[in-house]
């Protein structure tokens, strides 16, 4: 390079002594929260209302070892993944329609503004009416939970692709499908990823809630059902263990799937907002 | 004084014909005529500059040549065939830095264009791309992503990408306008070097008189509202070199024309 400019190096904050990394700070906070929980629960001395942190861990461990929790988790995850996948396919289809023509665009913005504010769980009665009790009803509400926020995010992402980049793409001969997949999709990836993240969180919540509402007659219930039945049997430590499992799975997906995807793509490309 | 410079090189074959083209676009305020009845020809090997103040429709005209918008009337022909859509036979270097694909590296951006536009294999494209990255001084940055580069370096990548594809004509839309003054001059010299080395045919849009004289072999001065061609200057070799009396004289003459037109007082004027 001869114009005397230097490449911008990423993240060059001077190292300060005695400062912890964000991860380490979070770990310290977590330990502190667990300690407060443990102390308060011991002081309260009523494990029906609030089991101690260690009782909860023990319950989690036992339920994991005897296979109940893994079974419940698998049941939940399989329903969740079906709903999530269907939601993604539908979101892709409706976004494609919106990108391709104006009627599609109006359709998408109308449908998202109508359905996005509608809590997925509110559709459960209708789902029960249409699909009966079982996985298909839950999948239906999960699809609803994923579809609208994801379609909205994708569409916003496509629309935000800079005009110069679009022209540069068409200039080198991209058109039709190659224009969409080699230009629009990667250019909109930051929005698409945040839509996927949001959709995942919505789907997960909706699933647990739906399982609690009508898990009573589902034979192979999921995590929500696990939490619900244990509450009914006053196994409060198991209830907390179920909640902990929900949190841990959410964290794991965030760290191993979404954070990794983000690091390998938009972060590496300097496209983070 | 301008026209009797060196006559444009021997067989004046037309690479690009712009034939009585008018360009209009719709805004909220109604139909705006950006360019009215403009005709010119770019001969093979020539570097034609469209020079004018903002609002003279020069960029819109370049985009029409690029195939990004259709003329309201008239025709644009490339090698005799009408231009209907964008294509790699008219590679464009834009002013904006975001013309590179952020998810591809320096060599990746060049190589991808080569694969799409010239149908090269991955390996061939990579080889040519590395060569071009080196030619614009970015050999060490071949595997860097665009967001780690300075503005000048990004423009170099865009220029390398455009040259590598070997288009029939190179279109440049104020490629250095967003750079600082020092980088701009250096990039003008580098561009000139590449053009002379490859004999590329270019159509360059700029609002800087010195850039027009330095980079081009012929300059069309445009007047605004609606855009029309007001004057034509052949720029002889000696007048392209900064600091020569010819350069200064031609610069002064064009400046006088741009400032001194009948409606000059009302116009936004060229900043040099």
């Amino acid at each position: 390079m001869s114009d005397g400019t230097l490449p911008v190096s990423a993240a060059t904050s001077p190292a300060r002594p005695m400062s912890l990394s964000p991860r380490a700070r979070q770990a310290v906070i977590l330990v502190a929260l667990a300690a407060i929980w443990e102390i308060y629960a011991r002081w309260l001395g009523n494990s029906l209302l609030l089991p101690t942190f260690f009782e909860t861990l023990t319950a989690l461990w036992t339920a994991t070892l005897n296979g109940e929790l893994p079974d419940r988790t698998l049941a939940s995850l399989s329903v969740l993944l079906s709903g999530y996948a269907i939601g993604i396919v539908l979101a892709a289809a409706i976004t494609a329609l919106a990108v391709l023509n104006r009627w599609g665009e109006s359709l998408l913005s109308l449908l998202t503004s109508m359905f996005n504010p509608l809590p997925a769980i509110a559709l459960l009665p209708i789902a029960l009416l249409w699909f009966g009790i079982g996985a298909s009803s839950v999948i239906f509400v999960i699809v609803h939970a994923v579809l609208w926020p994801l379609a909205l995010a994708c569409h916003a992402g496509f629309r935000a692709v800079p005009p110069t980049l679009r022209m540069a793409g068409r200039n080198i001969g991209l058109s039709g499908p190659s224009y969409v997949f080699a230009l629009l999709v990667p250019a909109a990836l930051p929005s698409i990823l945040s839509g996927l993240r949001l959709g995942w969180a919505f789907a997960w919540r909706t699933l647990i809630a739906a399982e609690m509402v009508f898990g009573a007659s589902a034979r192979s219930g999921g995590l929500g059902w696990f939490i619900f039945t244990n509450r009914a049997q006053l196994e409060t430590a198991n209830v907390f263990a179920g909640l902990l499992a929900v949190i841990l799975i959410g964290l794991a997906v965030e760290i191993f799937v979404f954070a990794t995807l983000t690091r390998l793509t938009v972060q590496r490309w300097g496209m983070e907002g | 004084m301008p026209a009797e410079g060196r006559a444009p090189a021997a067989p004046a074959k037309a690479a690009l014909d712009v034939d009585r083209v008018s360009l209009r676009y719709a805004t909220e305020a109604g139909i705006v005529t950006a360019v009215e009845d403009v005709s010119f020809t770019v001969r093979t090997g020539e570097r034609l500059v469209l020079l004018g103040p903002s609002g003279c429709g020069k960029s819109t005209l370049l985009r029409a040549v690029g195939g990004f918008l259709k003329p309201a009337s008239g025709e644009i022909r490339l090698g005799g065939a009408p231009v209907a859509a964008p294509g790699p036979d008219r590679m464009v270097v834009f002013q904006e830095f975001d013309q590179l694909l952020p998810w591809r590296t320096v060599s990746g951006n060049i190589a991808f264009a080569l694969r799409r536009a010239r149908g090269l294999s991955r390996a061939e494209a990579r080889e040519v791309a590395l060569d071009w990255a080196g030619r614009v001084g970015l050999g060490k940055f071949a595997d860097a992503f665009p967001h780690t580069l300075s503005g000048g370096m990004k423009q170099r990548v865009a220029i390398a990408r455009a040259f590598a594809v070997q288009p029939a004509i190179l279109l440049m839309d104020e490629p250095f306008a967003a750079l600082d003054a020092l980088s701009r001059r250096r990039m003008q010299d580098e561009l000139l070097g590449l053009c002379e080395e490859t004999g590329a045919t270019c159509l360059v849009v700029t609002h800087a008189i010195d850039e027009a004289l330095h980079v081009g072999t012929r300059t069309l001065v445009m007047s605004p509202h609606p855009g029309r061609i007001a004057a034509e200057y052949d720029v002889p070799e000696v007048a392209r070199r900064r600091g020569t009396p010819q350069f200064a004289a031609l610069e002064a003459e064009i400046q006088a024309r741009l400032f001194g037109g009948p409606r000059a007082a009302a116009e936004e004027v060229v900043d040099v």
Side-chain angles (χ1 to χ4, degrees):
Chain A
M1 30 164 265
S2 46
D3 64 351
T5 44
L6 287 169
V8 185
S9 76
T12 50
S13 62
R16 270 177 298 150
M18 293 302 291
S19 77
L20 293 169
S21 72
R23 283 252 175 274
R25 265 201 306 269
Q26 285 176 343
V28 169
I29 293 172
L30 264 184
V31 170
L33 287 175
I36 293 170
W37 175 1
E38 180 72 24
I39 291 165
Y40 179 70
R42 274 171 193 264
W43 175 79
L44 195 68
N46 183 347
S47 60
L48 270 185
L49 277 185
L50 181 66
T52 66
F53 178 62
F54 284 106
E55 278 170 346
T56 304
L57 282 190
T58 314
L60 186 67
W61 186 241
T62 319
T64 307
L65 282 190
N66 69 20
E68 194 187 0
L69 203 55
D71 282 352
R72 299 301 192 201
T73 307
L74 275 184
S76 282
L77 281 179
S78 77
V79 172
L80 182 68
L81 286 179
S82 330
Y84 193 58
I86 297 172
I88 290 173
V89 170
L90 290 179
I94 198 168
T95 315
L97 208 62
V99 171
L100 287 177
N101 79 47
R102 286 183 190 178
W103 282 92
E105 192 170 348
S106 303
L107 177 76
L108 174 70
S109 60
L110 181 67
L111 288 182
T112 46
S113 50
M114 276 165 61
F115 290 128
N116 208 22
L118 187 66
I121 204 73
L123 285 182
L124 201 54
I126 293 176
L128 290 175
L129 206 61
W130 289 349
F131 300 102
I133 285 169
S136 17
S137 288
V138 183
I139 290 175
F140 175 78
V141 290
I142 291 176
V143 167
H144 171 84
V146 174
L147 174 56
W148 308 116
L150 182 56
L152 205 62
C154 291
H155 190 231
F158 284 146
R159 277 205 311 201
V161 176
T164 315
L165 193 58
R166 290 168 184 271
M167 287 196 279
R170 290 171 62 202
N171 193 205
I172 58 172
L174 298 178
S175 63
S178 71
Y179 177 68
V180 174
F181 290 106
L183 192 100
L184 288 185
V185 170
L189 202 60
S191 300
I192 296 175
L193 270 180
S194 72
L196 284 173
R197 233 176 190 144
L198 199 64
W200 176 263
F202 282 4
W204 198 211
R205 289 176 206 192
T206 304
L207 171 74
I208 302 294
E211 283 179 347
M212 286 190 181
V213 170
F214 80 114
S217 45
R219 240 173 292 129
S220 56
L223 270 174
W225 180 230
F226 176 84
I227 294 169
F228 190 79
T229 48
N230 277 297
R231 191 210 64 89
Q233 294 158 9
L234 295 180
E235 296 279 357
T236 315
N238 276 345
V239 173
F240 276 79
L243 292 177
L244 211 54
V246 171
I247 292 174
L248 288 177
I249 292 165
L251 271 181
V253 169
E254 170 60 34
I255 292 170
F256 292 116
V257 181
F258 290 117
T260 309
L261 269 181
T262 306
R263 202 177 57 245
L264 290 181
T265 57
V266 293
Q267 223 166 56
R268 185 157 163 250
W269 305 334
M271 288 171 74
E272 261 182 324
Chain B
M1 111 143 246
E4 64 266 31
R6 199 186 52 175
K13 204 179 124 216
L16 180 83
D17 280 308
V18 172
D19 189 5
R20 308 207 61 173
V21 163
S22 295
L23 299 168
R24 297 194 177 84
Y25 52 87
T27 65
E28 280 167 17
I31 306 277
V32 172
T33 301
V35 171
E36 176 95 356
D37 196 21
V38 164
S39 299
F40 62 85
T41 298
V42 186
R43 292 177 286 263
T44 302
E46 173 179 49
R47 296 188 298 277
L48 181 69
V49 180
L50 298 176
L51 173 70
S54 36
C56 73
K58 56 193 189 305
S59 286
T60 315
L61 194 51
L62 190 89
R63 268 158 211 213
V65 174
F68 297 104
L69 61 121
K70 283 198 172 21
S73 65
E75 196 175 51
I76 298 169
R77 289 182 299 271
L78 184 74
V83 161
D89 50 359
R90 286 149 288 140
M91 282 299 284
V92 186
V93 178
F94 297 94
Q95 175 185 339
E96 295 84 3
F97 296 149
D98 57 9
Q99 61 188 303
L100 302 178
L101 312 180
W103 56 92
R104 293 187 186 272
T105 59
V106 167
S107 59
N109 263 282
I110 305 172
F112 183 64
L114 286 166
R115 275 163 51 209
R116 298 295 319 184
R118 277 173 56 190
L120 297 191
S121 73
R122 241 165 229 281
E124 288 169 324
R126 165 120 185 122
E127 200 178 314
V128 179
L130 286 177
D131 177 45
W132 271 101
R135 285 168 83 165
V136 294
L138 292 175
K140 280 190 205 151
F141 295 89
D143 293 324
F145 284 98
H147 74 106
T148 62
L149 306 178
S150 69
M153 292 158 86
K154 285 181 194 168
Q155 292 309 83
R156 285 206 175 88
V157 180
I159 289 171
R161 174 172 72 180
F163 271 100
V165 169
Q166 298 175 344
I169 185 168
L170 268 165
L171 308 177
M172 309 221 180
D173 187 7
E174 307 202 36
F176 311 132
L179 299 179
D180 62 274
L182 283 175
S183 310
R184 193 181 311 152
R185 285 185 74 146
R186 192 165 298 141
M187 298 276 298
Q188 288 166 359
D189 291 341
E190 289 181 17
L191 175 65
L192 203 56
L194 287 175
C195 286
E196 279 167 357
E197 200 181 311
T198 57
T201 310
C202 299
L203 178 60
V204 183
V205 157
T206 183
H207 62 258
I209 301 177
D210 67 327
E211 184 165 288
L213 295 182
H214 190 53
V215 171
T217 55
R218 189 156 62 102
T219 295
L220 299 179
V221 178
M222 293 184 70
S223 62
H225 311 300
R228 285 199 180 91
I229 290 171
E232 177 180 348
Y233 295 90
D234 269 320
V235 187
E237 174 85 50
V238 63
R240 283 177 225 155
R241 269 178 270 135
R242 287 197 178 87
T244 61
Q246 288 88 339
F247 183 94
L250 201 47
E251 188 176 17
E253 185 179 328
I254 295 178
Q255 189 146 3
R257 172 171 281 277
L258 283 164
F259 278 86
R263 300 190 299 171
E267 308 297 2
E268 188 185 344
V269 205
V270 186
D271 59 273
V272 187

